[in-house]
Amino acid sequence: MSETQLKQLQADKARLPERINVAGLSDYRSFNAIDNEGKNLFDFVTSSVWNVRRQLLD
């Protein structure tokens, strides 16, 4: 890739919006909603481990 192509791609990227607001779109099936399932599972496991650790120390 040449340096001019790289500069052109960087300029194109700079013109893109930082975030896309899908609230006003009528058909936004191409955008995936971010789910918290993984975070919730991690929080559950972490709290379970800490609770077991606390019970073992008591």
Side-chain angles (χ1 to χ4, degrees):
M1 188 181 296
S2 68
E3 193 170 322
T4 56
Q5 287 176 327
L6 183 61
K7 286 182 182 180
Q8 180 64 35
L9 288 173
Q10 287 174 342
D12 290 344
K13 182 182 172 246
R15 286 192 294 266
L16 293 174
E18 184 176 331
R19 292 179 179 252
I20 298 173
N21 184 7
V22 295
L25 299 177
S26 61
D27 183 22
Y28 54 90
R29 286 178 288 187
S30 62
F31 296 99
N32 292 331
I34 298 173
D35 65 341
N36 287 335
E37 186 176 347
K39 180 191 175 302
N40 292 339
L41 182 62
F42 179 78
D43 289 345
F44 172 73
V45 170
T46 303
S47 63
S48 299
V49 168
W50 279 103
N51 287 339
V52 168
R53 179 183 172 273
R54 186 179 61 192
Q55 290 175 356
L56 289 174
L57 292 177
D58 286 345

